[in-house]
């Protein structure tokens, strides 16, 4: 793939200016990899744990040990890591249905959650479909203030009525807001638990795993959930998700995954343990590669005159990079470039479509080895103003760099017409 002299000059400047940030990302990756190897050693991981089980999956040593390792690495009491959790939304829904009961109140404190949870909560969709609203769960929403959690408003709400679950989305989703840091989530947990000790703080941790040295469950979150085809699977896990947190919260979630009284004690792994162990092992390094790609993208698109968030030199709390393209043609061009620069389906031209769970047509570019894997380089966005592209992933920085330059190339082509 050949790029213009202009793009290659921007690329050289980017890597010079990003040298210190890249070194810091490598340090975080080393720290987290060290913790994971310690946990593997402590729990005596062996080849026998990768063996397949069938049927009920009783006494699956690999499955049970992976749960223990996950809890250690995420700084919490318990975990549920399963290949039959089909997506991040599924993992989040398991936790919500596990924790909430008829008459309870769910309060989202970072504005509206990601679009795919709308029908789960009952914000949209048909009555009778089985949403939380159908089961008598009430929903409250508190907007962020000045790009931060509105702790005074949260305190006031908790003092007025009994809230069962405080839900917080760490990443921005399809909102133009900053991502929350682990420290901010820790402050939220302290605030909630001081006022209402029985309230669960539940974190949508998607896109944030291993970006920092600590996870939300290490700073007080009762439950966190995510997908294994994002950061936590390291590009190795081909399906699956996780929930981790306090023993009580994880147990309640496990009853929703299987059945009450059975929980996490069953579930055949069918030979997929190895990819999940390997994914956790790779996760810090792969996340660092995705972060380098995101910083590089911010630099390149900023140099071309586009508004980016976070800025190229800004520290991150997730792997998502936004680029405000300003027009539907610009958004589609960027996505075409990402697709063309991908290792799989590079010949395909992405087009906007009415995707289930989304209120606007969405365009998605993802030439990935694993379908839907957003730890691999992808770009997507809803077709509404300001036509923001949401980029994430990059299994290797080198491939991520090629994808970003390809996207920049398509945008420049559009300008020249």
């Amino acid at each position: 793939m050949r790029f213009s002299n202009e793009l290659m000059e921007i690329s050289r400047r980017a890597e010079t200016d990003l040298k210190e940030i890249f070194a810091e990302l490598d340090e975080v990756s080393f720290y987290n990899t060290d913790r994971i190897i310690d946990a593997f050693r402590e729990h005596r991981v062996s080849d026998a744990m990768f063996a397949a089980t069938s049927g009920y999956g009783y006494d699956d040593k690999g499955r049970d040990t992976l749960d223990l390792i996950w809890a250690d690495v995420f700084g919490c009491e318990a975990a549920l890591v399963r290949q039959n959790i089909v997506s991040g939304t599924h993992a989040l829904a398991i936790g919500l249905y596990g924790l909430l009961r008829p008459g309870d109140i769910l309060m989202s404190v970072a504005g509206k959650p990601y679009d795919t949870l709308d029908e789960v909560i009952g914000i949209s969709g048909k009555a009778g479909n089985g949403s939380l609203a159908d089961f008598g769960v009430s929903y409250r929403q508190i907007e962020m203030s000045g790009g931060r959690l509105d702790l005074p408003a949260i305190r006031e709400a908790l003092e007025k009525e009994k809230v069962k679950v405080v839900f917080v989305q760490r990443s921005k989703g399809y909102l133009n807001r900053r991502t929350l840091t682990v420290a901010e989530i820790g402050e939220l947990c302290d605030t909630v638990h001081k006022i209402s000790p029985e309230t669960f703080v539940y974190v949508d941790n998607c896109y944030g795993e291993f970006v920092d040295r600590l996870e939300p469950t290490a700073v007080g979150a009762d439950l966190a959930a995510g997908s294994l085809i994002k950061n936590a699977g390291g590009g190795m896990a081909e399906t699956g998700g996780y929930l981790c947190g306090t023993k009580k919260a994880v147990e309640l979630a496990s009853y929703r995954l299987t059945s009450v009284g059975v929980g996490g004690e069953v579930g055949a792994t069918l030979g997929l343990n190895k990819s999940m162990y390997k994914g956790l092992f790779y996760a810090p390094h792969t996340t660092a590669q995705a972060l380098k790609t995101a910083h590089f993208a911010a630099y390149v698109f900023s140099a071309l005159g586009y508004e980016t968030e976070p800025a190229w030199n800004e520290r991150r709390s997730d792997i998502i990079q936004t680029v405000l393209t300003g027009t539907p043609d610009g958004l589609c061009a960027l996505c075409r470039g990402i697709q063309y620069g991908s290792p799989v389906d590079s010949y395909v031209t992405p087009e906007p479509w009415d995707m289930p769970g989304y209120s606007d047509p969405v365009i998605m570019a993802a030439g990935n080895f694993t379908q839907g894997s957003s730890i691999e380089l992808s770009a997507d966005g809803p077709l509404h103003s300001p036509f923001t592209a949401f980029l994430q992933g990059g299994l290797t920085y080198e491939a991520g760099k090629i994808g970003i330059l390809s996207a920049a190339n398509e945008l420049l082509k559009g300008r020249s017409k």
Side-chain angles (χ1 to χ4, degrees), residues 158-175:
L158 291 170
E159 288 165 354
K160 279 184 178 178
E161 54 187 353
K162 186 176 180 181
V163 175
K164 184 67 170 295
V165 173
V166 166
F167 182 82
V168 58
Q169 183 175 293
R170 180 175 178 178
S171 190
K172 59 172 58 68
Y174 277 160
L175 300 174

Side-chain angles (χ1 to χ4, degrees), residues 162-244:
K162 186 176 180 181
V163 175
K164 184 67 170 295
V165 173
V166 166
F167 182 82
V168 58
Q169 183 175 293
R170 180 175 178 178
S171 190
K172 59 172 58 68
Y174 277 160
L175 300 174
N176 287 316
R177 69 155 171 91
R178 54 182 289 279
T179 296
L180 298 173
T181 66
V182 173
E184 287 174 301
I185 293 172
E187 190 177 3
L188 170 68
C189 294
D190 290 343
T191 298
V192 172
H193 291 143
K194 282 177 183 175
I195 297 170
S196 181
E198 298 304 312
T199 297
F200 294 102
V201 177
Y202 185 13
V203 180
D204 175 353
N205 204 30
C206 289
Y207 303 106
E209 300 92 347
F210 302 111
V211 171
D212 210 334
R213 287 174 167 80
L214 292 174
E215 299 296 328
T217 42
V219 295
D222 298 283
L223 192 64
S227 166
L228 297 189
I229 59 171
K230 295 184 174 69
N231 305 26
M236 292 291 167
E238 296 193 349
T239 188
Y242 73 90
L243 296 106
C244 61

Side-chain angles (χ1 to χ4, degrees), residues 34-169:
D34 190 35
R35 292 195 302 117
I36 288 169
I37 291 176
D38 279 347
F40 275 41
R41 184 186 303 112
E42 175 69 22
H43 292 282
R44 303 172 68 88
V45 172
S46 68
D47 184 70
M49 293 177 181
F50 308 148
T53 56
S54 61
Y56 295 131
Y58 286 138
D59 301 318
D60 188 317
K61 184 70 172 174
R63 179 198 66 210
D64 296 342
T65 300
L66 184 59
D67 286 349
L68 295 173
I69 289 170
W70 207 276
D72 284 356
V73 171
F74 278 67
C76 55
E77 295 175 349
L80 192 68
V81 189
R82 296 293 182 274
Q83 86 284 350
N84 56 325
I85 297 175
V86 302
S87 67
T89 300
H90 185 202
L92 292 165
I94 289 167
L96 289 171
Y97 282 102
L99 299 178
L100 292 157
R101 302 288 179 269
D104 285 344
I105 296 173
L106 165 66
M107 186 167 74
S108 176
V109 296
K112 191 179 81 65
Y114 191 64
D115 295 35
T116 56
L117 284 180
D118 284 3
E119 292 190 50
V120 174
I121 295 168
I123 297 171
S124 66
K126 296 178 181 178
N129 278 354
S131 68
L132 291 169
D134 285 341
F135 285 97
V137 174
S138 299
Y139 176 70
R140 309 283 187 269
Q141 184 172 304
I142 296 178
E143 302 300 326
M144 293 174 67
S145 176
R148 300 187 177 276
L149 293 172
D150 191 342
L151 294 179
I154 294 167
R155 288 190 197 98
E156 184 179 352
L158 291 170
E159 288 165 354
K160 279 184 178 178
E161 54 187 353
K162 186 176 180 181
V163 175
K164 184 67 170 295
V165 173
V166 166
F167 182 82
V168 58
Q169 183 175 293

